[in-house]
Amino acid sequence: MTSDMDHPWDEDALCAVCPGQVHDPGRFDIVDGPGPASRYDTTAGYRRDLVSGVPVCIHPDKIGFPAGRYASAGQRWPAETEPASPPGPMPDDPDELAGWMTALIRHADVDTVAVVLAEAERSAARRFPPELVVNALRAALAEV
């Protein structure tokens, strides 16, 4: 599945649990390796800072950007990159539903992912058959 997301890093080079797989630049912190300040959150699918709850990437070498408190302290992202544009309205084409849901998740703030996904599910259920909605949700969640 492809999404409209264009990241300034190679997603295939990242860990499967890197927040860079699901968040835009500046929406997570990057630190130099694992440590006691962050833990893997099984619900989110990536590490979070224990105090702020902000997603944390622990491999600056894999993501290709230096360590920084980009989300938790508002540190400026080191590259001149703009986040991808928001996903827009729900598509009419059922083949684009999973990509739309994935883009919604990727653009959501850390604290609103569950709410955004629930609203997307409700909206899609009004337009598409239940099996299609469930399959789109599965595909989007597999990307998270």
Side-chain angles (χ1 to χ4, degrees):
M1 172 180 47
T2 59
S3 76
D4 294 334
M5 177 62 69
D6 291 319
H7 284 130
W9 50 77
D10 177 7
E11 289 183 17
D12 292 334
L14 302 180
C15 296
V17 297
C18 181
Q21 295 279 10
V22 295
H23 292 290
D24 284 341
R27 298 236 182 193
F28 58 94
D29 288 348
I30 302 174
V31 299
D32 287 316
S38 67
R39 295 270 190 258
Y40 180 75
D41 179 344
T42 57
T43 305
Y46 43 74
R47 293 180 81 85
R48 287 185 185 263
D49 182 276
L50 293 176
V51 175
S52 68
V54 167
V56 176
C57 168
I58 61 169
H59 296 116
D61 56 321
K62 289 184 179 184
I63 200 159
F65 292 93
R69 299 290 179 182
Y70 305 110
S72 63
Q75 186 176 342
R76 182 169 157 69
W77 189 258
E80 294 297 323
T81 60
E82 292 293 321
S85 59
M90 181 175 24
D92 293 324
D93 183 348
D95 292 336
E96 296 176 6
L97 186 60
W100 176 75
M101 287 185 176
T102 300
L104 286 174
I105 293 169
R106 288 182 172 190
H107 282 54
D109 289 328
V110 173
D111 297 328
T112 63
V113 170
V115 172
V116 167
L117 193 56
E119 178 57 33
E121 178 184 11
R122 283 191 294 277
S123 297
R126 290 190 284 269
R127 185 179 296 174
F128 298 106
E131 183 178 321
L132 182 68
V133 174
V134 169
N135 288 340
L137 285 167
R138 286 180 178 146
L141 290 170
E143 292 292 315
V144 174

